[in-house]
Short mmCIF file of all heavy atoms in Angstrom, two decimals:
data_model
loop_
_atom_site.label_atom_id
_atom_site.label_comp_id
_atom_site.label_asym_id
_atom_site.label_seq_id
_atom_site.Cartn_x
_atom_site.Cartn_y
_atom_site.Cartn_z
N HIS A 1 10.06 10.73 -8.42
CA HIS A 1 10.17 10.43 -9.86
C HIS A 1 9.98 8.95 -10.02
O HIS A 1 10.73 8.18 -9.46
CB HIS A 1 11.55 10.86 -10.41
CG HIS A 1 11.67 10.79 -11.81
ND1 HIS A 1 12.93 10.70 -12.44
CD2 HIS A 1 10.72 10.73 -12.83
CE1 HIS A 1 12.75 10.68 -13.77
NE2 HIS A 1 11.45 10.66 -14.04
N VAL A 2 8.84 8.45 -10.62
CA VAL A 2 8.52 7.09 -10.69
C VAL A 2 8.49 6.80 -12.28
O VAL A 2 7.69 7.38 -13.01
CB VAL A 2 7.15 6.83 -10.13
CG1 VAL A 2 6.72 5.35 -10.21
CG2 VAL A 2 7.17 7.24 -8.58
N PHE A 3 9.31 5.85 -12.66
CA PHE A 3 9.40 5.59 -14.12
C PHE A 3 9.85 4.10 -14.32
O PHE A 3 10.48 3.53 -13.45
CB PHE A 3 10.43 6.58 -14.73
CG PHE A 3 11.80 6.39 -14.16
CD1 PHE A 3 12.75 5.72 -14.77
CD2 PHE A 3 12.10 7.11 -13.01
CE1 PHE A 3 14.06 5.65 -14.27
CE2 PHE A 3 13.48 7.02 -12.46
CZ PHE A 3 14.37 6.34 -13.14
N PRO A 4 9.60 3.49 -15.46
CA PRO A 4 8.70 3.99 -16.50
C PRO A 4 7.24 3.73 -16.02
O PRO A 4 7.01 2.91 -15.24
CB PRO A 4 9.03 3.14 -17.75
CG PRO A 4 9.53 1.88 -17.12
CD PRO A 4 10.27 2.26 -15.90
N ASN A 5 6.37 4.49 -16.56
CA ASN A 5 4.93 4.24 -16.26
C ASN A 5 4.14 4.48 -17.47
O ASN A 5 3.94 5.62 -17.93
CB ASN A 5 4.51 5.24 -15.06
CG ASN A 5 3.16 4.94 -14.51
OD1 ASN A 5 2.56 3.86 -14.82
ND2 ASN A 5 2.65 5.73 -13.61
N PRO A 6 3.59 3.43 -18.14
CA PRO A 6 3.45 2.03 -17.52
C PRO A 6 4.79 1.40 -17.61
O PRO A 6 5.69 1.64 -18.37
CB PRO A 6 2.49 1.39 -18.49
CG PRO A 6 2.48 2.23 -19.77
CD PRO A 6 2.88 3.61 -19.37
N ALA A 7 4.91 0.34 -16.75
CA ALA A 7 6.07 -0.41 -16.54
C ALA A 7 5.90 -1.83 -17.10
O ALA A 7 4.72 -2.28 -17.25
CB ALA A 7 6.45 -0.53 -15.00
N LYS A 8 7.04 -2.42 -17.40
CA LYS A 8 6.96 -3.85 -17.97
C LYS A 8 7.67 -4.82 -17.14
O LYS A 8 7.01 -5.80 -16.63
CB LYS A 8 7.61 -3.76 -19.40
CG LYS A 8 7.29 -5.02 -20.20
CD LYS A 8 7.89 -4.83 -21.63
CE LYS A 8 7.34 -5.88 -22.53
NZ LYS A 8 7.58 -5.74 -23.90
N GLU A 9 8.91 -4.66 -16.90
CA GLU A 9 9.72 -5.62 -16.02
C GLU A 9 10.12 -5.07 -14.71
O GLU A 9 10.29 -5.71 -13.70
CB GLU A 9 10.91 -6.05 -16.81
CG GLU A 9 10.56 -6.84 -18.12
CD GLU A 9 11.77 -7.14 -18.98
OE1 GLU A 9 12.91 -6.82 -18.58
OE2 GLU A 9 11.59 -7.67 -20.06
N ASN A 10 10.42 -3.65 -14.73
CA ASN A 10 10.89 -3.04 -13.53
C ASN A 10 10.25 -1.63 -13.44
O ASN A 10 9.84 -1.16 -14.41
CB ASN A 10 12.43 -2.81 -13.52
CG ASN A 10 13.20 -4.10 -13.65
OD1 ASN A 10 13.07 -4.92 -12.82
ND2 ASN A 10 13.98 -4.30 -14.79
N ILE A 11 10.16 -1.12 -12.21
CA ILE A 11 9.74 0.27 -12.00
C ILE A 11 10.83 0.88 -10.97
O ILE A 11 11.23 0.17 -10.04
CB ILE A 11 8.29 0.38 -11.55
CG1 ILE A 11 7.89 1.84 -11.61
CG2 ILE A 11 8.14 -0.24 -10.16
CD1 ILE A 11 6.38 1.94 -11.66
N THR A 12 11.11 2.16 -11.23
CA THR A 12 12.10 2.77 -10.38
C THR A 12 11.43 3.99 -9.67
O THR A 12 10.65 4.73 -10.20
CB THR A 12 13.29 3.30 -11.22
OG1 THR A 12 13.89 2.31 -11.86
CG2 THR A 12 14.21 4.02 -10.45
N PHE A 13 11.70 3.95 -8.34
CA PHE A 13 11.19 5.10 -7.43
C PHE A 13 12.45 5.84 -7.09
O PHE A 13 13.43 5.36 -6.53
CB PHE A 13 10.53 4.54 -6.23
CG PHE A 13 9.31 3.78 -6.46
CD1 PHE A 13 9.33 2.50 -6.88
CD2 PHE A 13 8.05 4.39 -6.48
CE1 PHE A 13 8.21 1.72 -7.12
CE2 PHE A 13 6.97 3.71 -6.71
CZ PHE A 13 6.98 2.43 -7.07
N ASP A 14 12.47 7.20 -7.35
CA ASP A 14 13.60 8.06 -7.12
C ASP A 14 13.22 9.09 -6.10
O ASP A 14 12.44 9.96 -6.47
CB ASP A 14 14.06 8.66 -8.48
CG ASP A 14 15.48 9.30 -8.39
OD1 ASP A 14 16.10 9.24 -7.24
OD2 ASP A 14 16.01 9.68 -9.39
N VAL A 15 13.76 9.08 -4.96
CA VAL A 15 13.44 9.96 -3.78
C VAL A 15 14.75 10.38 -3.14
O VAL A 15 15.82 9.77 -3.26
CB VAL A 15 12.52 9.26 -2.77
CG1 VAL A 15 11.20 8.99 -3.36
CG2 VAL A 15 13.22 8.10 -2.19
N VAL A 16 14.62 11.63 -2.53
CA VAL A 16 15.81 12.15 -1.90
C VAL A 16 16.06 11.56 -0.47
O VAL A 16 17.14 11.18 -0.06
CB VAL A 16 15.67 13.72 -1.77
CG1 VAL A 16 16.85 14.31 -1.02
CG2 VAL A 16 15.69 14.22 -3.25
N GLU A 17 14.87 11.52 0.30
CA GLU A 17 14.92 10.99 1.65
C GLU A 17 14.82 9.51 1.76
O GLU A 17 14.14 8.87 0.89
CB GLU A 17 13.88 11.64 2.51
CG GLU A 17 13.95 13.13 2.64
CD GLU A 17 12.78 13.56 3.55
OE1 GLU A 17 12.58 13.08 4.60
OE2 GLU A 17 12.00 14.47 3.01
N ASN A 18 15.13 8.91 2.87
CA ASN A 18 14.79 7.53 3.15
C ASN A 18 13.20 7.49 3.26
O ASN A 18 12.66 8.46 3.88
CB ASN A 18 15.42 7.06 4.45
CG ASN A 18 16.90 6.88 4.33
OD1 ASN A 18 17.51 6.93 3.22
ND2 ASN A 18 17.62 6.89 5.42
N ALA A 19 12.62 6.48 2.72
CA ALA A 19 11.14 6.35 2.74
C ALA A 19 10.74 4.97 2.84
O ALA A 19 11.41 4.03 2.48
CB ALA A 19 10.64 7.06 1.48
N THR A 20 9.52 4.75 3.33
CA THR A 20 8.84 3.41 3.27
C THR A 20 7.91 3.51 2.06
O THR A 20 7.00 4.30 1.93
CB THR A 20 8.00 3.18 4.50
OG1 THR A 20 8.93 3.34 5.65
CG2 THR A 20 7.44 1.84 4.46
N LEU A 21 8.26 2.47 1.19
CA LEU A 21 7.41 2.30 -0.06
C LEU A 21 6.38 1.17 0.23
O LEU A 21 6.73 0.10 0.73
CB LEU A 21 8.25 1.89 -1.20
CG LEU A 21 7.53 1.39 -2.52
CD1 LEU A 21 6.71 2.48 -3.16
CD2 LEU A 21 8.54 0.78 -3.44
N THR A 22 5.09 1.53 0.04
CA THR A 22 4.06 0.51 0.22
C THR A 22 3.31 0.42 -1.11
O THR A 22 2.88 1.52 -1.71
CB THR A 22 3.07 0.93 1.34
OG1 THR A 22 3.83 1.30 2.49
CG2 THR A 22 2.14 -0.18 1.77
N ILE A 23 3.00 -0.75 -1.54
CA ILE A 23 2.23 -0.97 -2.82
C ILE A 23 1.05 -1.78 -2.52
O ILE A 23 1.07 -2.69 -1.79
CB ILE A 23 3.14 -1.73 -3.86
CG1 ILE A 23 4.33 -0.82 -4.23
CG2 ILE A 23 2.31 -2.03 -5.18
CD1 ILE A 23 5.33 -1.40 -5.18
N TYR A 24 -0.09 -1.29 -3.02
CA TYR A 24 -1.38 -1.93 -2.91
C TYR A 24 -1.98 -2.28 -4.22
O TYR A 24 -1.79 -1.59 -5.23
CB TYR A 24 -2.38 -0.98 -2.18
CG TYR A 24 -1.94 -0.47 -0.87
CD1 TYR A 24 -1.21 0.70 -0.69
CD2 TYR A 24 -2.32 -1.23 0.31
CE1 TYR A 24 -0.79 1.12 0.59
CE2 TYR A 24 -1.90 -0.82 1.57
CZ TYR A 24 -1.18 0.33 1.65
OH TYR A 24 -0.77 0.77 2.93
N ALA A 25 -2.78 -3.32 -4.19
CA ALA A 25 -3.66 -3.70 -5.42
C ALA A 25 -4.76 -2.74 -5.43
O ALA A 25 -5.14 -2.08 -4.36
CB ALA A 25 -4.14 -5.17 -5.29
N LEU A 26 -5.54 -2.66 -6.51
CA LEU A 26 -6.71 -1.78 -6.50
C LEU A 26 -7.80 -2.20 -5.51
O LEU A 26 -8.60 -1.38 -5.06
CB LEU A 26 -7.38 -1.80 -7.87
CG LEU A 26 -6.67 -0.90 -8.92
CD1 LEU A 26 -7.42 -1.04 -10.32
CD2 LEU A 26 -6.62 0.55 -8.53
N THR A 27 -7.73 -3.49 -5.13
CA THR A 27 -8.66 -4.00 -4.03
C THR A 27 -8.38 -3.43 -2.65
O THR A 27 -8.98 -3.68 -1.74
CB THR A 27 -8.76 -5.52 -4.08
OG1 THR A 27 -7.36 -5.94 -3.79
CG2 THR A 27 -9.13 -6.06 -5.38
N GLY A 28 -7.14 -2.94 -2.53
CA GLY A 28 -6.73 -2.40 -1.23
C GLY A 28 -5.80 -3.38 -0.54
O GLY A 28 -5.21 -3.11 0.56
#
């Protein structure tokens, strides 16, 4: 569950398990 989308000041990632979050620009 990723919200809000589009985001303004914050974005929340809601997952059950421990996870590694990686964020990339469109350029990679």
Side-chain angles (χ1 to χ4, degrees):
H1 190 201
V2 180
F3 61 94
N5 192 6
K8 193 171 191 170
E9 297 173 3
N10 299 300
I11 191 160
T12 300
F13 295 86
D14 195 357
V15 296
V16 172
E17 297 182 51
N18 293 342
T20 302
L21 168 65
T22 311
I23 297 178
Y24 299 93
L26 282 179
T27 60

